[in-house]
Amino acid sequence: MGQAAMVAAAFGGTLPPGVTGTNDRCTLIVSNLNSDRVDADKLFNLFSIYGNIVRIKVLRNKPDHALVQMADGLQAELAVHYLKGAMLLGQKLEVNFSKYPTITPAPDANDYSTSNLNRFNSNVVKNYRHCCAPTKMIHISALSQEITEDAILDHVSEHGTVVKSKLFEAGGKTQALVQFESEEAATEALVSKHASKLEGSTIRISFSQMQNI
């Protein structure tokens, strides 16, 4: 099964509208960033939902612009499809394909090509299945067995009003759902707290497509 066919199967048989599966451009230009608050790691946390990240470079001469190099063209298409117009740290993102095919390795280019935080190193089909536009609900995994709901809320609630939360166990692993009042608040929590330490564990955060807890 080819990659596009595998991804289409993960999406229920067809690729999202506007995603061709034949694009070979891997590098994106992201603009209208909040240059006071955004950095390469926050962009990694968001764009890695849609594919593995090779490099990210925030442009020194245009600090509200960044280049993001995805592992392949299909993952780049998914990022454009789901993130164009999304709100990030008070700004509406513009996400388009760059004229540059790659980001040249350089001291000011953050390299994530060997990062174990890239989400598509394993469970590839499941990760494609979870691709979606930002939602009000985040799913938190890789939690310690002893974690409490209050500790999770203390960790993420600075990013916006929490409407509901739920701590649960699935497959023997402790997980949580946190529903914010807005997609923007959930996105801020995800970019700020994915891969952060909480009671000794490096937690993973993604968007949940569930409507309610």
Side-chain angles (χ1 to χ4, degrees):
M1 182 184 289
Q3 187 195 26
M6 177 185 71
V7 178
F11 280 104
T14 182
L15 290 169
V19 177
T20 65
T22 59
N23 169 62
D24 59 2
R25 293 173 292 174
C26 302
T27 303
L28 307 174
I29 180 75
V30 187
S31 57
N32 202 35
L33 294 168
N34 183 333
S35 57
D36 292 329
R37 299 180 63 194
V38 82
D39 58 29
D41 285 344
K42 286 187 173 72
L43 291 173
F44 171 86
N45 289 347
L46 181 59
F47 279 80
S48 64
I49 292 172
Y50 308 101
N52 282 348
I53 306 298
V54 180
R55 291 182 193 90
I56 295 177
K57 181 179 181 177
V58 177
L59 304 185
R60 279 181 296 183
N61 59 336
K62 291 183 179 177
D64 62 339
H65 287 60
L67 293 170
V68 178
Q69 184 182 342
M70 312 286 291
D72 62 51
L74 177 57
Q75 294 177 354
E77 272 195 291
L78 291 171
V80 171
H81 175 74
Y82 286 119
L83 290 179
K84 186 186 282 280
M87 294 297 295
L88 176 63
L89 303 172
Q91 304 276 99
K92 189 174 182 179
L93 289 183
E94 273 298 323
V95 185
N96 296 289
F97 293 102
S98 170
K99 63 182 180 182
Y100 299 105
T102 61
I103 299 173
T104 304
D108 60 347
N110 293 60
D111 193 310
Y112 297 95
S113 58
T114 59
S115 173
N116 62 5
L117 295 174
N118 266 315
R119 303 173 193 251
F120 286 70
N121 290 334
S122 59
N123 300 320
V124 174
V125 172
K126 184 180 80 171
N127 281 309
Y128 279 124
R129 194 177 299 132
H130 290 163
C131 284
C132 63
T135 67
K136 298 177 183 179
M137 187 100 65
I138 58 171
H139 174 264
I140 309 175
S141 58
L143 292 162
S144 71
Q145 295 292 101
E146 297 77 29
I147 196 76
T148 64
E149 199 165 332
D150 284 345
I152 293 168
L153 293 178
D154 285 345
H155 196 60
V156 302
S157 61
E158 68 179 286
H159 303 293
T161 302
V162 173
V163 178
K164 290 180 185 175
S165 61
K166 178 183 179 182
L167 188 64
F168 63 98
E169 190 173 294
K173 296 179 180 178
T174 304
Q175 303 177 41
L177 289 168
V178 179
Q179 182 180 350
F180 286 87
E181 202 168 53
S182 67
E183 288 88 353
E184 186 177 355
T187 302
E188 180 178 323
L190 184 148
V191 302
S192 302
K193 295 296 166 63
H194 174 67
S196 64
K197 286 282 190 183
L198 179 58
E199 296 193 1
S201 296
T202 301
I203 64 173
R204 301 292 182 112
I205 303 179
S206 58
F207 292 115
S208 171
Q209 298 178 56
M210 292 180 64
Q211 298 301 309
N212 286 294
I213 297 176

